[in-house]
Amino acid sequence: MHSGKSSFFVGIGGSGMMPLAMIVRARGGIVAGSDRGLDQGRTSAKFDALRAAGIALFPQDGSGVTSADQVVIASAAVEASVPDIVAADRLGCTRMTRAHVNAGLFNDAALPIGVAGTSGKSTVTGMIGYILHTLGRDPTVMNGAVMKDFATPDAPFASALVGRGDAFVSEVDESDGSIVLYRPAVAVLNNVTLDHKGLDELRQLFGDFAHAARHVVANAGDAETAALLATLPQDRLTTFAVEGEGDLVARNLSPEPFAISFDLVGAAGRHRIRLSVPGRHNVSNALAAIGACIAAGVPFADAARAIEGFTGLRRRFDVVGQANGIAVIDDFGHNPDKIAATLDTLHAHPGRLLLLFQPHGYGPLKQMGRELAQTFVDHLGPEDVLTIPDPAYFGGTVTREVGSADIVARIAAAGRTAHHDPERADAAARLVALARPGDRIVVMGARDDTLSGLAADMLANL
């Protein structure tokens, strides 16, 4: 890509692929791509945005890969049998993973800031980017979610921001092991909990990532992260904690239905902050972002002031609207930690919860199905209603050893109200029919942009 070759992104509509393609294009690269979703007619607005950015789109049938001079980039989810990959191998194209391309751009930056952790990566990345942008640092930001503060009618899918400043802010992914490729100046470690991998492997991955950094900003309030902190030199470490002990601490939390206030306490002073996003978990995210910005040279008071303007990410506790006294919320919650955080935030205020949770694949259900079920058992209220359709599936090979019905059976056996509606249209209709004033309907799940459309349709049907 750096020698004038054109790049072809296979799966260009993915949450990690789209912003990377936009960054490469904005920096002058020749970019084209394909996507299953394009061929299936899903999320057309996303592909319109890519075309508007000067990116050519092709069917995923090999027709876009025509020259050995192309660099073909694919995510880990793309199988070797996909025609574009077959064509690339036949022509002898240079092949790269999404992670290798992003890590190359990241490591080449003067100030690479990497955000890791099982939960909160996208939000912390967005917060850091927003603070730096607001304060005139002109960062480049690679995010896995749309940053609402940078979205415009002309650029509705603002998951990337391309700046001229020193900072390259990126979330880094442990799920495929690619976190090992990154060499951050500032490493943020939010938490270490079960998700795509077992805890032993996660400890190794996150530990290596932290040790590779010049400065680490880490959550002392998370038990697994705190254990890792003990292995790091204290002179290159900033700790944070919510109502705990650390270099940056949040105290006197005052939650609101869709916001939260707290006192930020650090060696440089004390500030009252009101976030425009709710929940204790977002207070933790804010501490991580402020700590990272301070490590990048931003004054304490400036970071505290700037973060109040951050309005959140699309599909992260995103209030779609209200109708007849019923709120509809679109949320990315898909692992036990994220789901628990969302449910606890909602239960801090009155009202029944009507939840539609779409698992993001059969593999994740096999990996953490028992923990997912227990999370719902522990965090659903006695009046709450949960429905789980079958997992998201967009093609390719998959083993269906554990399905939604298995998870529902565990939850129902523990006394919570849970239903298996295989078709998600039926799941949505169930909740709309049950809804009454004061309820909150929550659509949860990952890897499927059409969930936002489902949430909007449910609001319309109310």
Side-chain angles (χ1 to χ4, degrees):
M1 284 190 316
H2 296 292
S3 60
K5 288 187 176 183
S6 65
S7 54
F8 190 92
F9 286 72
V10 184
I12 196 168
S15 62
M17 293 284 274
M18 182 175 180
L20 183 59
M22 300 286 264
I23 290 172
V24 172
R25 178 69 188 100
R27 290 187 169 187
I30 302 168
V31 179
S34 66
D35 197 272
R36 249 179 219 146
L38 176 68
D39 295 350
Q40 296 169 356
R42 291 186 285 110
T43 57
S44 58
K46 172 187 287 187
F47 299 111
D48 289 343
L50 286 165
R51 292 189 186 95
I55 295 172
L57 299 178
F58 293 84
Q60 203 169 80
D61 59 4
S63 60
V65 182
T66 58
S67 168
D69 289 334
Q70 289 173 290
V71 178
V72 175
I73 301 156
S75 70
V78 174
E79 302 90 350
S81 59
V82 168
D84 290 338
I85 302 300
V86 173
D89 290 342
R90 184 181 71 250
L91 292 168
C93 298
T94 299
R95 291 264 308 276
M96 296 183 74
T97 66
R98 181 206 66 83
H100 275 96
V101 176
N102 188 53
L105 297 172
F106 180 91
N107 293 338
D108 285 346
L111 180 59
I113 302 173
V115 181
T118 312
S119 301
K121 290 189 292 290
S122 297
T123 298
V124 174
T125 300
M127 286 176 166
I128 295 169
Y130 179 81
I131 292 170
L132 294 178
H133 178 82
T134 299
L135 297 176
R137 295 283 293 269
D138 200 18
T140 293
V141 183
M142 162 72 192
N143 207 330
V146 173
M147 298 173 283
K148 294 196 287 187
D149 294 298
F150 301 123
T152 66
D154 293 335
F157 294 92
S159 52
L161 185 68
V162 183
R164 298 176 180 271
D166 289 344
F168 189 111
V169 187
S170 179
E171 57 175 299
V172 298
D173 193 7
E174 81 287 347
S175 66
D176 60 359
S178 62
I179 189 173
V180 302
L181 302 173
Y182 294 83
R183 295 294 177 265
V186 178
V188 179
L189 185 53
N190 227 22
N191 44 52
V192 181
T193 57
L194 184 70
D195 194 343
H196 298 89
K197 295 182 179 295
L199 278 175
D200 287 342
E201 187 174 359
L202 290 175
R203 291 176 186 125
Q204 183 70 47
L205 289 170
F206 288 132
D208 290 347
F209 173 72
H211 280 279
R214 297 203 294 268
H215 195 90
V216 178
V217 179
N219 184 2
D222 175 69
E224 285 287 344
T225 306
L228 188 154
L229 297 182
T231 69
L232 296 172
Q234 297 303 299
D235 61 348
R236 59 184 185 91
L237 178 63
T238 298
T239 60
F240 64 88
V242 178
E243 296 181 321
E245 299 300 324
D247 298 313
L248 296 172
V249 176
R251 304 198 187 283
N252 302 320
L253 276 61
S254 298
E256 304 171 35
F258 302 115
I260 191 166
S261 299
F262 64 97
D263 288 337
L264 171 65
V265 182
R270 188 183 191 104
H271 291 269
R272 187 69 178 171
I273 292 175
R274 182 179 185 273
L275 296 177
S276 298
V277 288
R280 182 186 181 94
H281 61 293
N282 274 320
V283 175
S284 180
N285 291 337
L287 294 178
I290 291 168
C293 289
I294 292 171
V298 173
F300 176 86
D302 290 350
R305 171 177 52 82
I307 201 169
E308 289 197 309
F310 176 77
T311 61
L313 307 178
R314 200 169 296 163
R315 298 220 66 236
R316 273 34 173 209
F317 206 102
D318 194 2
V319 180
V320 180
Q322 300 189 51
N324 301 318
I326 303 158
V328 178
I329 297 165
D330 186 19
D331 190 71
F332 191 68
H334 63 281
N335 66 30
D337 209 42
K338 289 182 173 74
I339 292 167
T342 295
L343 297 185
D344 288 348
T345 297
L346 287 162
H347 278 139
H349 305 279
R352 184 174 63 154
L353 306 184
L354 305 179
L355 306 173
L356 187 157
F357 169 64
Q358 178 179 278
H360 61 294
Y362 288 91
L365 280 188
K366 181 180 178 181
Q367 170 74 23
M368 55 182 170
R370 185 182 300 273
E371 290 80 7
L372 280 169
Q374 192 59 48
T375 296
F376 283 115
V377 170
D378 293 342
H379 294 272
L380 286 173
E383 302 300 318
D384 295 342
V385 178
L386 168 69
T387 175
I388 306 182
D390 286 339
Y393 174 68
F394 303 121
T397 57
V398 64
T399 301
R400 307 188 185 201
E401 293 178 36
V402 179
S404 296
D406 301 297
I407 309 304
V408 166
R410 289 182 181 275
I411 298 167
R416 299 303 188 195
T417 303
H419 304 275
H420 173 219
D421 291 306
E423 298 295 327
R424 81 176 190 192
D426 296 333
R430 177 192 295 277
L431 299 189
V432 169
L434 286 173
R436 58 180 185 246
D439 289 345
R440 281 80 51 82
I441 291 178
V442 189
V443 175
M444 307 179 87
R447 291 187 186 165
D448 186 354
D449 294 329
T450 66
L451 287 171
S452 294
L454 179 70
D457 289 345
M458 294 173 76
L459 178 66
N461 289 335
L462 288 171

